[in-house]
Amino acid sequence: MRRSMKLFGSTMVAIVTLAAAAAPLVAQAEELGQQTLGRAYWHVFLAYAIAWIFIFGWIISIARRLGRVEKSLGNLDG
Amino acid sequence: MYKRTGWIGTATALLGVALSVLVLWMVFFWVPTEANQGVIQRIFYMHVPAAWVAFMAFGIVAFASAVYLWLGDERADMAAVAAAEGGIIFTGIVLLTGPLWGKIAWGTYWTWEPRLTLTLLLFFIYVGYFMVRAATENPEKGKRFAAVVGIVGALDIPLIHVSVLWFRSLHPEPVVLKAEGPTLDPDMLTTLLTGFLAFTVLFVGVLMLRYGLERAERELNLRQVTG
Amino acid sequence: MTYLRQLRAVIRKDLLQELRTKQRLATMGGFAVLVGVLFNYSIDQAIVAAQDIASGLIWMTLVFAGVMGVGRTFELEAEDGAFQGVLLSPIPRDALYLGKVVSNFVLVYLVVLLVLAVFGVFFQLDYGNHPFMLLAVLAVGALGFVALATLFGAVSSGTALGETLLPILVFPLLVPMVVYGASGTSRLLAGRPIAEVEGNLRMLAAFALVALFAGAGLFRFVVED
């Protein structure tokens, strides 16, 4: 129990140190990303993904509901 | 009967899907990048057709609602429900993709851009349309209530549009780039028109499927009630 | 002539009912005054002057108090089945609707006057050089509001959700009224000339007319069984 606490503590210290060292790098990368418009690509992909997910989600939900209703109708007939 | 509507609907929907794939190819591999806004402008080929479909769907809802109240024809109500469900999907697409564009083009996820605002309000009118229907115990009454929501919404939308435009003219936003710059490059126009065609065909096809579903559901309800 | 008589009968019934119970007027009035008290504590007058945001406060109080009061119109009558009796009478549905609009308008406008008086004292507001124009803008705005809220009050009272549904249904539709009403009011409070508000008044009137025609035409589909 003590050992795991210690391990946890040292891991946390390592993470915090690394994060502190990396923070300026991340900020720089983000800035670069803004400059090269990498983020714009990401947004375009996301937008098209959202549209397709919504439309296909709609179609799939219709298909599932239709399947269920037709099954119930078939049960009524049979 | 609903099976045949399903067949035509399926074919139309498949055509719509094929056209949408074509649009994807055009957007990502064919159309040139717009000079002012860069890559982000490519959202436009899907965002604008989605907005068109959202408003067209509401036109169908309002028209079908008026017919339903006037003639009491059950089919008009089924068409209205089917179109409203599609409308809420497409307003959802517009409302999520608009901010994705705005964040890059205007530097902010949300501006009170008149068309975006109008779409948000349209979304809430659709929400009201479904809530009224769901919250009414007597389904016949629910259909009439929903039709009233649809018709008043359609009458109010032009006024809302005028007022949000006017409000915007009072409070100009400094960082906004004009989305409709100079005349569109012919390749971009082709892509946009294909986008319109694809989403319209897709919507009409799925609308027919949804209509078939509504009819099947009502047939089931009727037969369960009558035994 | 009979149409006007029927209209008057509906208005008289509703106003008499309100006069006897004072239920809605008391709740709306109390609500409006208390909102004013809460507004006082929610704004730091060292940072924003009340005069600058008063128009927004007035219009939002009108909308919230109005939704509360108008939402009760049909609930009250539905409680003991009295509305069935009204529906059985040979009064045309549009007269019933217009009568309700008039009686609701009287209530809402009384609350507007109360709000103007109380907020004026609470926030030391200066109502500018054209108090009658201010009253006109608020009257036409309140009429449009009541026209929509009465129709959708009937809708929401017919649902299981009751009056809680009313804001969801009317708020999106009220945007034109709030835009033109609040901007007209803030211009008047800022002491701008009357000519700058005439356009607002016209748009508010157009909104009210559309709402009234839609309500009068559609009301019968809402109340029929």
Side-chain angles (χ1 to χ4, degrees), chain B residues 69 135 144-145 156 163 166 170, chain C residues 155 160 173 180 183 221-222 224:
Chain B
L69 287 187
R144 285 201 308 268
F145 286 178
D156 202 28
S163 67
W166 185 79
L170 289 182
Chain C
V155 169
L173 302 173
Y180 291 110
S183 85
F221 297 110
V222 176
E224 90 189 17

Side-chain angles (χ1 to χ4, degrees), chain A residues 47-63 65, chain B residues 12-14 16-21 23-24 45-47 49-51 53-54 85-94 96-97 195-196 198-207 209-210:
Chain A
Y48 279 87
I50 286 170
W52 279 76
I53 288 169
F54 270 49
I55 293 169
F56 277 92
W58 189 35
I59 295 175
I60 289 166
S61 110
I62 291 174
R65 282 182 283 173
Chain B
T12 318
L14 282 177
V17 170
L19 283 167
S20 302
V21 172
V23 171
L24 273 187
Y45 304 114
M46 172 270 288
H47 176 81
V53 168
E85 200 176 286
I88 213 164
I89 299 284
F90 278 88
T91 40
I93 292 174
V94 175
L96 287 174
T97 57
F196 273 117
F199 269 16
T200 308
V201 171
L202 185 60
F203 174 72
V204 170
V206 185
L207 185 67
L209 296 179
R210 180 65 183 80

